[in-house]
Amino acid sequence: MRTLPNSADLPDVLAFMQGLWAVVHRMERLSKQMGASVGVTGPQRLVLRMIALFPGLSAGDLAAVLHLHPSTLTGVLRRLEAQALVARTSDPEDRRRTVLRLTRRGARASASTKGTVEGAVAVAFARTGQNHRAATRRFLDQLATCLDREIARTR
């Protein structure tokens, strides 16, 4: 019987990538389950949470905060608007500008973390010390910067 290699058998970079892909895959699986059980996917819920925390953001501002291309966010917002979870309104300070707000239904969908990616992350955070979380955040920021450089370099 053949034994499969585990992360201890891999160089650090590959072991990290293996772990990162495992997290991404599980987030995608839970996101699909959320669509069926909660009514919104993980990315849709993230948009709801950001609008709940920062009401009055424009779609462009939200795309920038989430590091998404505006066209990617457009589809998410359309689905949330179709479900009556998000509404676009005129900015009271500049009528030419449209801002995003949660509807009452959107506020309810944003409130509970049960069965969500956010809930799982919150549990992991509760089990991890502040110093470790801060170091992980710094590493993820550094990784994102390095990925951006590779994207720019290979265009």
Side-chain angles (χ1 to χ4, degrees), residues 40-86:
V40 293
T41 64
Q44 290 170 342
R45 181 172 161 73
L46 179 58
V47 167
L48 291 176
R49 295 292 295 134
M50 295 303 287
I51 296 170
L53 289 170
F54 307 103
L57 281 175
S58 70
D61 292 342
L62 183 57
V65 167
L66 295 175
H67 305 284
L68 293 174
H69 191 276
S71 65
T72 301
L73 183 61
T74 297
V76 173
L77 288 172
R78 277 193 193 129
R79 286 185 287 282
L80 293 173
E81 287 177 294
Q83 294 179 49
L85 299 171
V86 170

Side-chain angles (χ1 to χ4, degrees), residues 37-155:
S37 64
V38 180
V40 293
T41 64
Q44 290 170 342
R45 181 172 161 73
L46 179 58
V47 167
L48 291 176
R49 295 292 295 134
M50 295 303 287
I51 296 170
L53 289 170
F54 307 103
L57 281 175
S58 70
D61 292 342
L62 183 57
V65 167
L66 295 175
H67 305 284
L68 293 174
H69 191 276
S71 65
T72 301
L73 183 61
T74 297
V76 173
L77 288 172
R78 277 193 193 129
R79 286 185 287 282
L80 293 173
E81 287 177 294
Q83 294 179 49
L85 299 171
V86 170
R88 294 177 195 254
T89 60
S90 293
D91 185 336
E93 296 176 15
D94 182 354
R95 291 290 204 211
R96 297 168 295 173
R97 186 172 182 255
T98 301
V99 295
L100 303 166
R101 301 221 182 268
L102 295 184
T103 63
R104 274 181 238 196
R105 187 173 174 194
R108 284 192 303 274
S110 171
S112 174
T113 61
K114 184 179 179 188
T116 67
V117 172
E118 182 184 357
V121 172
V123 169
F125 265 30
R127 296 176 180 171
T128 306
Q130 176 60 33
N131 289 342
H132 188 77
R133 291 193 311 259
T136 301
R137 181 66 205 180
R138 286 190 305 272
F139 177 78
L140 290 173
D141 288 344
Q142 181 69 298
L143 178 57
T145 298
C146 290
L147 291 168
D148 284 342
R149 284 187 191 133
E150 283 300 308
I151 290 166
R153 190 180 67 78
T154 57
R155 282 187 185 164

Side-chain angles (χ1 to χ4, degrees), residues 2-62:
R2 135 181 156 220
T3 58
L4 295 174
N6 61 42
S7 59
D9 300 324
L10 298 173
D12 286 345
V13 169
L14 294 182
F16 177 82
M17 290 173 60
Q18 178 192 39
L20 192 57
W21 282 114
V23 168
V24 168
H25 176 69
R26 286 172 175 90
M27 286 177 69
E28 288 173 350
R29 283 181 54 200
L30 183 53
S31 176
K32 286 179 185 175
Q33 287 178 354
M34 286 172 57
S37 64
V38 180
V40 293
T41 64
Q44 290 170 342
R45 181 172 161 73
L46 179 58
V47 167
L48 291 176
R49 295 292 295 134
M50 295 303 287
I51 296 170
L53 289 170
F54 307 103
L57 281 175
S58 70
D61 292 342
L62 183 57

